[in-house]
Amino acid sequence: KHATPATVSRGGVLFVNETDIGWKPYMESWREKMDQLPQSAYYLLFLNYFEQTIEEIRKKFDFSCPIYDMGFVNSLTCFIDALMQNNTKENVEAMRTMNNEELKTTYDAMFAFAMMWTIGGAIADDKTVNYRKAFNSFMKGLSKAVRFPEAGECYDYRFEPKCRDWVSWEEYVVPYEPVADRMFQNIVISNMELERMKYILQLHTYRKKPVLYVGVAGTGKTTIVKDFLADLTSKNEDFISQAINNNNYTSSFALQQIIMSTLDKRSGRTYGPPGNKKCVYFIDDLNMPYVDTYDTQ
């Protein structure tokens, strides 16, 4: 916005227009790391589900924030990697015992789940036009290998390879157990929305990818993330978390200081969390800091 490609190259940044190369080289390099069967399966899925429909999707639906095609592909591959490599033991074992046709069906359903949350998760919730309902109909018509149940929306289900079918999020709701010494404002009760949002956070955490939650005040973004991080750090000693609350006076230097406060110097210019742990940063109110003249944030 404020610098030419020649200027940013001085800082070691290579500027490439999205339209010059496109998203296909990224997808091809991602597929090369796979075995032959998933390689060919995902090539056809990207062709049939994404490439042939992305223009129609952009015309039909509005998004909560601008997203390039490359951003969609990046998110799709992240979801698929997490579903294939970081799934539950039962699902991994189920996939090992499947024949080629069953695996192709599973890959198809995984791609549908990834597309549902990559594109459908970013659909704007407009009061005049129900884009979410329209995308639900679009998604149910698109996914053919393992069809979505008629009841409810496509968002209400996740695919389980061990069942070879879509399973309702109601199955994953945890019964509430009262805790006597917990403050009322800290009580979090499990429901479908909470569990599926935490599942998306979990998949991205496994792949070390960031997640951006967008919504108006009072929709529970902070509560969902804090509940997820509390579960993550209590059940896994390899993780620590750090919350960063932005305000109008947060500068880039102040943000750097907060990030560095949880890191130790290891060697040279290498920094990391103490004890070889992994640190998850939760940056709250991303749009709060005052925007300076040159958008240096």
Side-chain angles (χ1 to χ4, degrees):
K1 187 176 178 181
H2 298 291
T4 64
T7 305
V8 296
S9 67
R10 304 278 179 128
V13 178
L14 180 62
F15 182 84
V16 180
N17 283 313
E18 188 197 26
T19 52
D20 291 344
I21 296 178
W23 52 268
K24 285 188 178 180
Y26 178 87
M27 186 266 289
E28 292 297 337
S29 64
W30 171 75
R31 284 197 314 118
E32 285 175 1
K33 302 170 186 174
M34 297 179 169
D35 296 332
Q36 188 61 40
L37 182 66
Q39 261 198 40
S40 57
Y42 283 118
Y43 173 78
L44 293 174
L45 290 169
F46 265 103
L47 181 68
N48 297 328
Y49 281 6
F50 183 77
E51 187 175 13
Q52 293 184 3
T53 61
I54 188 60
E55 291 301 321
E56 179 188 357
I57 288 169
R58 289 198 178 278
K59 289 176 183 177
K60 278 187 175 181
F61 309 111
D62 281 353
F63 295 93
S64 54
C65 57
I67 306 174
Y68 289 114
D69 288 356
M70 188 66 194
F72 284 136
V73 173
N74 199 346
S75 190
L76 277 169
T77 55
C78 172
F79 267 110
I80 294 166
D81 281 338
L83 291 170
M84 290 182 66
Q85 300 174 29
N86 301 100
N87 219 315
T88 61
K89 290 182 180 179
E90 295 84 358
N91 284 333
V92 172
E93 287 299 322
M95 290 179 68
R96 284 175 182 166
T97 59
M98 291 179 183
N99 58 40
N100 286 355
E101 289 304 314
E102 289 172 333
L103 279 171
K104 286 180 182 178
T105 304
T106 300
Y107 296 151
D108 190 293
M110 284 181 171
F111 194 93
F113 180 85
M115 192 164 171
M116 174 175 68
W117 283 109
T118 294
I119 297 175
I123 294 290
D125 188 13
D126 199 307
K127 291 181 180 178
T128 55
V129 182
N130 196 336
Y131 291 114
R132 188 183 175 99
K133 186 176 180 181
F135 184 79
N136 170 59
S137 302
F138 173 83
M139 202 67 220
K140 284 188 174 183
L142 188 67
S143 180
K144 296 181 174 63
V146 184
R147 289 196 172 275
F148 284 99
E150 289 297 323
E153 296 182 336
C154 59
Y155 302 100
D156 297 336
Y157 300 91
R158 75 184 243 192
F159 184 76
E160 290 286 9
K162 63 183 179 184
C163 305
R164 292 172 171 78
D165 203 359
W166 297 98
V167 180
S168 172
W169 279 106
E170 290 181 348
E171 301 291 325
Y172 303 94
V173 175
V174 182
Y176 174 63
E177 296 180 2
V179 180
D181 57 349
R182 182 170 291 177
M183 298 288 287
F184 179 77
Q185 63 265 28
N186 295 331
I187 295 174
V188 179
I189 298 176
S190 173
N191 55 41
M192 286 175 61
E193 183 67 19
L194 180 72
E195 295 305 322
R196 60 190 174 193
M197 290 297 105
K198 285 169 65 176
Y199 182 65
I200 290 169
L201 281 171
Q202 179 184 332
L203 293 178
H204 283 74
T205 303
Y206 285 150
R207 303 309 304 170
K208 301 178 182 177
K209 298 286 186 180
V211 184
L212 176 65
Y213 279 168
V214 180
V216 296
T219 50
K221 303 181 296 296
T222 301
T223 302
I224 290 169
V225 177
K226 285 188 174 180
D227 188 54
F228 167 75
L229 292 176
D231 283 350
L232 180 71
T233 53
S234 63
K235 295 175 183 177
N236 195 328
E237 294 180 354
D238 293 336
F239 284 93
I240 61 172
S241 66
Q242 171 72 39
I244 302 172
N245 296 298
N246 286 337
N247 56 53
N248 191 46
Y249 299 101
T250 304
S251 63
S252 54
F253 180 71
L255 179 63
Q256 181 182 345
Q257 292 295 105
I258 297 171
I259 292 173
M260 297 287 284
S261 66
T262 56
L263 306 178
D264 292 341
K265 188 172 182 179
R266 292 182 177 171
S267 62
R269 296 185 179 181
T270 304
Y271 291 81
N276 290 324
K277 292 187 176 184
K278 298 170 185 173
C279 184
V280 180
Y281 288 102
F282 169 39
I283 303 178
D284 203 5
D285 290 326
L286 194 65
N287 64 337
M288 281 294 287
Y290 175 76
V291 180
D292 66 16
T293 308
Y294 300 105
D295 294 336
T296 58
Q297 291 101 324

